[in-house]
Amino acid sequence: MKICVVGLGYIGLPTAAILASKGHQVTGMDVKPHVLDNIREHGASPEEPGLAELVMGELKSGNLALSDKPVPADVFIICLPTPILADKKADISYVEKGASSIIPHLQKGNMIILESTVPPRTTSDMVGGMVREAGFDPENDLDLAFAPERVIPGDIIRELTTLDRVIGGLTPQAARRAKELYSCFVTGEIVTTDSTTAEFVKLVENSYRDVNIAFANELAQLSYDFGIDVREAIEIANRHPRVNILQPGPGVGGHCIAVDPYFIIQGAPDTSRMLALARVVNSEMPGLVVDVFESLMGNLDGRNIAILGLAYKPNVGDCRESPSMEVIRILESRGANCRAHDPYVKDSGIELISLEDAVKNADGIIITTGHHDFRDIDPARILELARGNVMLDTHRVLDRGSWEKAGWNFCYLGDGKASRNNDL
Ligand code: SAJ
């Protein structure tokens, strides 16, 4: 089949390359010239195992072509971003532009598949409405489907091909046809439904995780009320066969879990009470981090603070919606001078320096991302460089015993037992 993949980001590019590897004639299209240049030169980021080789191989084989405009095809797959606006509503303008750019190429019998995470009813109302305006009957002239991705960056190729998928069609025939296409590379089960249910399912998966992390984070907040160590309590509670509490931390980041619940909330704000509250609890965590730190350090005004970790989660370089940024913002609003180090992050909008430079003359240190590399930091060496000795580990990556032995005033986030004597 001739397939045009619109948007060559972290989902569009691997999807285009995998479809090409199954013998389809794929054109990957992106409006950004530097995205196309990068793909031509490097294939893909080396952080994604196997992807660059796959892309390069398919470009060479001729099954994958690149273009800055959509081309006529049997199937159009839209993989464009849906960021969140300042008012916490979904920004579907990229999807809207992408859909309108393929309309001049549409012919009866074509299929349009939307992969971008969108508010429920976007496939039927927005995409359906656009094709109707262009003179097509969205149910009879075309097949419209929604096929959300579920992959985790760093393991995209494996997850894209092996995870179960949900595909929702505007009609049962559209769902069947999209399933047939995806069956060429998905070894997991493909469950079909209507497009609005599939949109809802995608949002529910990430909202489920957000609510569960909020539960763990609320326990961390409660640990200071009751003088318990939250991780110890969770570990013991999780021994119950039907209890599986997640881990608390400095908040929830990333472009999915911290964002997707709002796509449900915007459509039904009065009913989405638990989702909204989970967002509130998780968004409070950077403030708790700074309060705990302040209780250890005293007044933060004029203090030098080293922030270790800007990425939103361990061992990746992605800073989108990272709680570390909010921790820095709050510290600076209380007069602190922050210096940040992250071995994975390349571009964050915040100046990044070496570990040594970040901790030099620091009055205190906060571990804001649980990068495994941080386990190798030598506490004695860091104490020599620093000016103070306060360390707050929000992810429990460091070994408290060895840091205390080296002379650090060491604290884990959510350890209300150790904070009993502090004025939190
Ligand atoms: N986090 C905690 N405590 C935990 C687990 C995670 O505080 O116990 C925090 C992390 O530190 C991070 C945030 O949550 O800040 C999100 O990280 P994550 O690893 O849970 O998820 P993402 O955002 O990298 O990827 C999610 C995944 N969704 C689910 O697990 C339901 C992934 O499968 C989706 O494909 C992806 O969102 C997406 O694109 O929607």
Short mmCIF file of all heavy atoms in Angstrom, two decimals, residues 311-362:
data_model
loop_
_atom_site.label_atom_id
_atom_site.label_comp_id
_atom_site.label_asym_id
_atom_site.label_seq_id
_atom_site.Cartn_x
_atom_site.Cartn_y
_atom_site.Cartn_z
N ALA A 311 15.82 16.06 33.96
CA ALA A 311 14.92 15.23 33.16
C ALA A 311 13.69 14.84 33.97
O ALA A 311 13.74 14.82 35.20
CB ALA A 311 15.65 13.98 32.70
N TYR A 312 12.60 14.50 33.27
CA TYR A 312 11.36 14.22 34.01
C TYR A 312 11.37 12.85 34.64
O TYR A 312 10.55 12.58 35.52
CB TYR A 312 10.14 14.42 33.11
CG TYR A 312 9.77 13.27 32.19
CD1 TYR A 312 8.88 12.29 32.59
CD2 TYR A 312 10.31 13.18 30.91
CE1 TYR A 312 8.53 11.25 31.75
CE2 TYR A 312 9.98 12.14 30.06
CZ TYR A 312 9.08 11.18 30.49
OH TYR A 312 8.74 10.13 29.66
N LYS A 313 12.28 11.97 34.18
CA LYS A 313 12.36 10.67 34.84
C LYS A 313 13.77 10.10 34.66
O LYS A 313 14.55 10.61 33.86
CB LYS A 313 11.29 9.72 34.33
CG LYS A 313 11.43 9.25 32.91
CD LYS A 313 10.35 8.21 32.66
CE LYS A 313 10.53 7.51 31.35
NZ LYS A 313 9.52 6.47 31.16
N PRO A 314 14.11 9.04 35.40
CA PRO A 314 15.48 8.54 35.38
C PRO A 314 15.98 8.10 34.01
O PRO A 314 15.21 7.53 33.22
CB PRO A 314 15.42 7.31 36.31
CG PRO A 314 14.21 7.47 37.13
CD PRO A 314 13.26 8.30 36.34
N ASN A 315 17.23 8.39 33.76
CA ASN A 315 17.99 7.83 32.63
C ASN A 315 17.48 8.24 31.25
O ASN A 315 17.69 7.53 30.28
CB ASN A 315 18.05 6.29 32.72
CG ASN A 315 18.38 5.83 34.13
OD1 ASN A 315 19.17 6.48 34.82
ND2 ASN A 315 17.78 4.76 34.58
N VAL A 316 16.76 9.37 31.18
CA VAL A 316 16.39 9.93 29.87
C VAL A 316 16.79 11.42 29.86
O VAL A 316 17.07 12.00 30.91
CB VAL A 316 14.87 9.81 29.58
CG1 VAL A 316 14.40 8.37 29.59
CG2 VAL A 316 14.03 10.65 30.55
N GLY A 317 16.81 12.01 28.65
CA GLY A 317 17.22 13.42 28.55
C GLY A 317 16.06 14.36 28.28
O GLY A 317 16.27 15.50 27.89
N ASP A 318 14.84 13.89 28.47
CA ASP A 318 13.64 14.67 28.16
C ASP A 318 13.21 15.49 29.38
O ASP A 318 13.00 14.95 30.46
CB ASP A 318 12.53 13.66 27.77
CG ASP A 318 11.28 14.33 27.22
OD1 ASP A 318 11.11 15.54 27.45
OD2 ASP A 318 10.48 13.62 26.58
N CYS A 319 13.08 16.80 29.19
CA CYS A 319 12.73 17.68 30.33
C CYS A 319 11.30 18.18 30.28
O CYS A 319 10.92 19.03 31.08
CB CYS A 319 13.58 18.94 30.30
SG CYS A 319 15.27 18.65 30.54
N ARG A 320 10.51 17.70 29.32
CA ARG A 320 9.17 18.28 29.20
C ARG A 320 8.35 18.07 30.47
O ARG A 320 8.29 16.96 31.00
CB ARG A 320 8.45 17.68 27.99
CG ARG A 320 8.93 18.32 26.70
CD ARG A 320 8.32 17.67 25.50
NE ARG A 320 8.79 16.29 25.36
CZ ARG A 320 8.36 15.47 24.41
NH1 ARG A 320 7.45 15.88 23.57
NH2 ARG A 320 8.83 14.24 24.34
N GLU A 321 7.74 19.14 30.95
CA GLU A 321 6.91 19.14 32.17
C GLU A 321 7.66 18.60 33.37
O GLU A 321 7.05 18.09 34.31
CB GLU A 321 5.61 18.31 31.97
CG GLU A 321 4.83 18.56 30.71
CD GLU A 321 4.21 19.93 30.64
OE1 GLU A 321 3.81 20.46 31.68
OE2 GLU A 321 4.17 20.48 29.52
N SER A 322 8.99 18.67 33.35
CA SER A 322 9.75 18.07 34.45
C SER A 322 9.52 18.82 35.77
O SER A 322 9.60 20.05 35.82
CB SER A 322 11.24 18.12 34.12
OG SER A 322 11.97 17.71 35.25
N PRO A 323 9.26 18.07 36.85
CA PRO A 323 9.07 18.74 38.15
C PRO A 323 10.33 19.48 38.61
O PRO A 323 10.24 20.43 39.39
CB PRO A 323 8.77 17.59 39.12
CG PRO A 323 8.60 16.36 38.32
CD PRO A 323 9.06 16.62 36.92
N SER A 324 11.50 19.09 38.09
CA SER A 324 12.75 19.77 38.48
C SER A 324 12.68 21.27 38.17
O SER A 324 13.18 22.10 38.92
CB SER A 324 13.95 19.20 37.72
OG SER A 324 13.93 17.81 37.74
N MET A 325 12.05 21.59 37.03
CA MET A 325 11.96 23.00 36.62
C MET A 325 11.15 23.80 37.65
O MET A 325 11.48 24.94 37.96
CB MET A 325 11.26 23.12 35.26
CG MET A 325 11.90 22.32 34.17
SD MET A 325 13.53 22.99 33.78
CE MET A 325 13.93 21.99 32.37
N GLU A 326 10.08 23.19 38.13
CA GLU A 326 9.22 23.86 39.10
C GLU A 326 9.95 23.99 40.44
O GLU A 326 9.83 25.01 41.13
CB GLU A 326 7.91 23.05 39.22
CG GLU A 326 6.83 23.67 40.07
CD GLU A 326 6.34 25.04 39.61
OE1 GLU A 326 6.73 25.53 38.54
OE2 GLU A 326 5.57 25.65 40.39
N VAL A 327 10.74 22.95 40.80
CA VAL A 327 11.52 23.04 42.04
C VAL A 327 12.47 24.24 41.94
O VAL A 327 12.57 25.05 42.87
CB VAL A 327 12.31 21.72 42.28
CG1 VAL A 327 13.35 21.89 43.39
CG2 VAL A 327 11.36 20.56 42.60
N ILE A 328 13.13 24.37 40.80
CA ILE A 328 14.06 25.49 40.61
C ILE A 328 13.31 26.83 40.69
O ILE A 328 13.74 27.77 41.36
CB ILE A 328 14.80 25.36 39.25
CG1 ILE A 328 15.73 24.16 39.28
CG2 ILE A 328 15.55 26.65 38.91
CD1 ILE A 328 16.43 23.85 37.98
N ARG A 329 12.16 26.88 40.04
CA ARG A 329 11.39 28.13 40.04
C ARG A 329 11.02 28.54 41.47
O ARG A 329 11.18 29.69 41.86
CB ARG A 329 10.12 27.97 39.18
CG ARG A 329 9.44 29.29 38.85
CD ARG A 329 8.03 29.10 38.31
NE ARG A 329 7.13 28.45 39.23
CZ ARG A 329 6.59 29.01 40.31
NH1 ARG A 329 6.86 30.27 40.59
NH2 ARG A 329 5.78 28.33 41.10
N ILE A 330 10.58 27.57 42.27
CA ILE A 330 10.15 27.90 43.64
C ILE A 330 11.37 28.29 44.49
O ILE A 330 11.32 29.26 45.26
CB ILE A 330 9.38 26.73 44.28
CG1 ILE A 330 8.14 26.38 43.44
CG2 ILE A 330 8.96 27.07 45.71
CD1 ILE A 330 7.42 25.10 43.85
N LEU A 331 12.47 27.55 44.32
CA LEU A 331 13.68 27.90 45.09
C LEU A 331 14.12 29.33 44.77
O LEU A 331 14.45 30.11 45.67
CB LEU A 331 14.83 26.93 44.73
CG LEU A 331 14.77 25.53 45.32
CD1 LEU A 331 15.77 24.62 44.63
CD2 LEU A 331 15.04 25.55 46.84
N GLU A 332 14.10 29.65 43.47
CA GLU A 332 14.55 30.99 43.08
C GLU A 332 13.58 32.06 43.58
O GLU A 332 14.00 33.16 43.97
CB GLU A 332 14.74 31.07 41.55
CG GLU A 332 15.99 30.28 41.15
CD GLU A 332 16.30 30.26 39.66
OE1 GLU A 332 15.40 30.60 38.88
OE2 GLU A 332 17.44 29.90 39.31
N SER A 333 12.29 31.72 43.65
CA SER A 333 11.32 32.70 44.16
C SER A 333 11.56 32.96 45.65
O SER A 333 11.12 33.96 46.19
CB SER A 333 9.89 32.22 43.93
OG SER A 333 9.57 31.17 44.83
N ARG A 334 12.26 32.02 46.32
CA ARG A 334 12.59 32.24 47.74
C ARG A 334 14.03 32.76 47.89
O ARG A 334 14.63 32.67 48.96
CB ARG A 334 12.41 30.94 48.52
CG ARG A 334 10.95 30.50 48.51
CD ARG A 334 10.66 29.35 49.42
NE ARG A 334 9.34 28.83 49.10
CZ ARG A 334 8.80 27.76 49.67
NH1 ARG A 334 9.47 27.10 50.61
NH2 ARG A 334 7.61 27.34 49.31
N GLY A 335 14.60 33.21 46.79
CA GLY A 335 15.89 33.90 46.87
C GLY A 335 17.11 33.01 46.68
O GLY A 335 18.25 33.50 46.76
N ALA A 336 16.93 31.72 46.43
CA ALA A 336 18.09 30.83 46.29
C ALA A 336 18.73 30.98 44.91
O ALA A 336 18.07 31.38 43.95
CB ALA A 336 17.65 29.38 46.49
N ASN A 337 20.04 30.65 44.83
CA ASN A 337 20.73 30.62 43.54
C ASN A 337 20.88 29.15 43.14
O ASN A 337 21.56 28.40 43.85
CB ASN A 337 22.15 31.21 43.64
CG ASN A 337 22.15 32.52 44.37
OD1 ASN A 337 21.36 33.40 44.03
ND2 ASN A 337 23.01 32.65 45.39
N CYS A 338 20.25 28.77 42.03
CA CYS A 338 20.29 27.36 41.64
C CYS A 338 21.30 27.12 40.52
O CYS A 338 21.40 27.93 39.59
CB CYS A 338 18.92 26.91 41.16
SG CYS A 338 17.68 26.97 42.45
N ARG A 339 22.01 26.00 40.65
CA ARG A 339 22.89 25.57 39.55
C ARG A 339 22.55 24.13 39.26
O ARG A 339 22.43 23.31 40.19
CB ARG A 339 24.36 25.73 39.94
CG ARG A 339 24.80 27.19 39.82
CD ARG A 339 26.16 27.41 40.37
NE ARG A 339 26.21 27.02 41.78
CZ ARG A 339 27.29 27.09 42.53
NH1 ARG A 339 28.42 27.49 42.03
NH2 ARG A 339 27.26 26.72 43.80
N ALA A 340 22.40 23.81 37.96
CA ALA A 340 21.85 22.50 37.62
C ALA A 340 22.84 21.63 36.86
O ALA A 340 23.62 22.11 36.03
CB ALA A 340 20.59 22.69 36.79
N HIS A 341 22.77 20.33 37.17
CA HIS A 341 23.57 19.35 36.44
C HIS A 341 22.68 18.19 36.04
O HIS A 341 21.87 17.71 36.85
CB HIS A 341 24.71 18.84 37.35
CG HIS A 341 25.37 17.61 36.82
ND1 HIS A 341 26.18 17.63 35.70
CD2 HIS A 341 25.30 16.31 37.22
CE1 HIS A 341 26.60 16.40 35.45
NE2 HIS A 341 26.09 15.58 36.36
N ASP A 342 22.80 17.75 34.78
CA ASP A 342 22.10 16.54 34.34
C ASP A 342 22.92 15.89 33.24
O ASP A 342 23.13 16.47 32.18
CB ASP A 342 20.69 16.87 33.81
CG ASP A 342 19.87 15.61 33.63
OD1 ASP A 342 20.34 14.70 32.92
OD2 ASP A 342 18.77 15.51 34.20
N PRO A 343 23.40 14.67 33.49
CA PRO A 343 24.27 14.02 32.50
C PRO A 343 23.55 13.62 31.22
O PRO A 343 24.19 13.33 30.21
CB PRO A 343 24.79 12.78 33.24
CG PRO A 343 23.83 12.53 34.35
CD PRO A 343 23.22 13.86 34.71
N TYR A 344 22.21 13.59 31.22
CA TYR A 344 21.46 13.12 30.04
C TYR A 344 20.91 14.26 29.19
O TYR A 344 20.68 14.10 28.01
CB TYR A 344 20.28 12.24 30.46
CG TYR A 344 20.71 10.89 30.98
CD1 TYR A 344 21.06 10.73 32.32
CD2 TYR A 344 20.78 9.79 30.14
CE1 TYR A 344 21.47 9.51 32.81
CE2 TYR A 344 21.18 8.56 30.62
CZ TYR A 344 21.52 8.43 31.95
OH TYR A 344 21.93 7.22 32.43
N VAL A 345 20.65 15.40 29.83
CA VAL A 345 19.93 16.47 29.13
C VAL A 345 20.88 17.31 28.28
O VAL A 345 21.95 17.69 28.74
CB VAL A 345 19.19 17.36 30.17
CG1 VAL A 345 18.55 18.56 29.49
CG2 VAL A 345 18.15 16.54 30.90
N LYS A 346 20.44 17.59 27.04
CA LYS A 346 21.28 18.42 26.17
C LYS A 346 20.71 19.83 26.07
O LYS A 346 21.42 20.80 26.10
CB LYS A 346 21.35 17.80 24.77
CG LYS A 346 22.15 16.51 24.80
CD LYS A 346 22.44 16.00 23.40
CE LYS A 346 23.12 14.65 23.47
NZ LYS A 346 22.15 13.53 23.63
N ASP A 347 19.39 19.91 25.97
CA ASP A 347 18.79 21.21 25.71
C ASP A 347 17.57 21.38 26.61
O ASP A 347 16.57 20.70 26.45
CB ASP A 347 18.37 21.24 24.23
CG ASP A 347 17.85 22.60 23.85
OD1 ASP A 347 18.11 23.56 24.60
OD2 ASP A 347 17.15 22.70 22.82
N SER A 348 17.68 22.31 27.58
CA SER A 348 16.57 22.42 28.53
C SER A 348 16.13 23.86 28.72
O SER A 348 15.15 24.12 29.40
CB SER A 348 17.02 21.89 29.89
OG SER A 348 17.99 22.76 30.43
N GLY A 349 16.88 24.80 28.16
CA GLY A 349 16.57 26.20 28.39
C GLY A 349 17.19 26.70 29.69
O GLY A 349 17.13 27.88 29.99
N ILE A 350 17.79 25.79 30.46
CA ILE A 350 18.47 26.18 31.70
C ILE A 350 19.93 25.81 31.53
O ILE A 350 20.25 24.76 30.96
CB ILE A 350 17.86 25.40 32.89
CG1 ILE A 350 16.51 26.00 33.24
CG2 ILE A 350 18.77 25.38 34.11
CD1 ILE A 350 15.82 25.40 34.43
N GLU A 351 20.82 26.69 32.01
CA GLU A 351 22.24 26.40 31.83
C GLU A 351 22.62 25.15 32.62
O GLU A 351 22.31 25.04 33.81
CB GLU A 351 23.07 27.60 32.32
CG GLU A 351 24.51 27.48 31.89
CD GLU A 351 25.45 28.40 32.68
OE1 GLU A 351 24.96 29.24 33.46
OE2 GLU A 351 26.66 28.24 32.51
N LEU A 352 23.28 24.22 31.94
CA LEU A 352 23.68 22.99 32.62
C LEU A 352 25.19 22.97 32.75
O LEU A 352 25.92 23.30 31.82
CB LEU A 352 23.22 21.77 31.81
CG LEU A 352 21.71 21.54 31.89
CD1 LEU A 352 21.27 20.57 30.83
CD2 LEU A 352 21.33 21.02 33.26
N ILE A 353 25.66 22.57 33.93
CA ILE A 353 27.09 22.57 34.17
C ILE A 353 27.51 21.21 34.71
O ILE A 353 26.67 20.35 34.98
CB ILE A 353 27.49 23.72 35.14
CG1 ILE A 353 26.62 23.67 36.41
CG2 ILE A 353 27.35 25.06 34.47
CD1 ILE A 353 26.94 24.76 37.40
N SER A 354 28.82 21.03 34.88
CA SER A 354 29.31 19.73 35.35
C SER A 354 28.89 19.54 36.81
O SER A 354 28.55 20.49 37.52
CB SER A 354 30.83 19.68 35.25
OG SER A 354 31.38 20.58 36.21
N LEU A 355 28.97 18.29 37.25
CA LEU A 355 28.62 17.98 38.64
C LEU A 355 29.50 18.79 39.59
O LEU A 355 29.01 19.40 40.55
CB LEU A 355 28.81 16.47 38.88
CG LEU A 355 28.63 15.99 40.30
CD1 LEU A 355 27.19 16.17 40.75
CD2 LEU A 355 29.03 14.51 40.42
N GLU A 356 30.79 18.81 39.29
CA GLU A 356 31.75 19.53 40.17
C GLU A 356 31.38 21.01 40.28
O GLU A 356 31.35 21.58 41.36
CB GLU A 356 33.19 19.40 39.65
CG GLU A 356 33.84 18.06 39.94
CD GLU A 356 33.24 16.94 39.10
OE1 GLU A 356 32.61 17.23 38.06
OE2 GLU A 356 33.35 15.76 39.52
N ASP A 357 31.09 21.64 39.11
CA ASP A 357 30.76 23.07 39.13
C ASP A 357 29.43 23.32 39.85
O ASP A 357 29.28 24.33 40.53
CB ASP A 357 30.68 23.63 37.71
CG ASP A 357 32.07 23.77 37.10
OD1 ASP A 357 33.05 23.75 37.88
OD2 ASP A 357 32.17 23.86 35.87
N ALA A 358 28.49 22.39 39.69
CA ALA A 358 27.17 22.59 40.33
C ALA A 358 27.29 22.52 41.85
O ALA A 358 26.62 23.27 42.56
CB ALA A 358 26.18 21.54 39.82
N VAL A 359 28.14 21.63 42.35
CA VAL A 359 28.19 21.45 43.81
C VAL A 359 29.23 22.36 44.48
O VAL A 359 29.21 22.52 45.70
CB VAL A 359 28.46 19.98 44.22
CG1 VAL A 359 27.35 19.08 43.71
CG2 VAL A 359 29.80 19.50 43.75
N LYS A 360 30.10 22.96 43.66
CA LYS A 360 31.13 23.84 44.25
C LYS A 360 30.47 24.98 45.03
O LYS A 360 29.61 25.68 44.49
CB LYS A 360 32.02 24.39 43.12
CG LYS A 360 33.35 24.88 43.63
CD LYS A 360 34.14 25.52 42.52
CE LYS A 360 35.01 24.51 41.79
NZ LYS A 360 35.63 25.09 40.59
N ASN A 361 30.83 25.12 46.29
CA ASN A 361 30.27 26.17 47.18
C ASN A 361 28.76 26.07 47.39
O ASN A 361 28.13 27.06 47.77
CB ASN A 361 30.59 27.57 46.65
CG ASN A 361 32.07 27.86 46.77
OD1 ASN A 361 32.71 27.38 47.73
ND2 ASN A 361 32.61 28.59 45.83
N ALA A 362 28.19 24.90 47.11
CA ALA A 362 26.74 24.77 47.33
C ALA A 362 26.47 24.65 48.82
O ALA A 362 27.22 24.01 49.56
CB ALA A 362 26.21 23.54 46.60
#
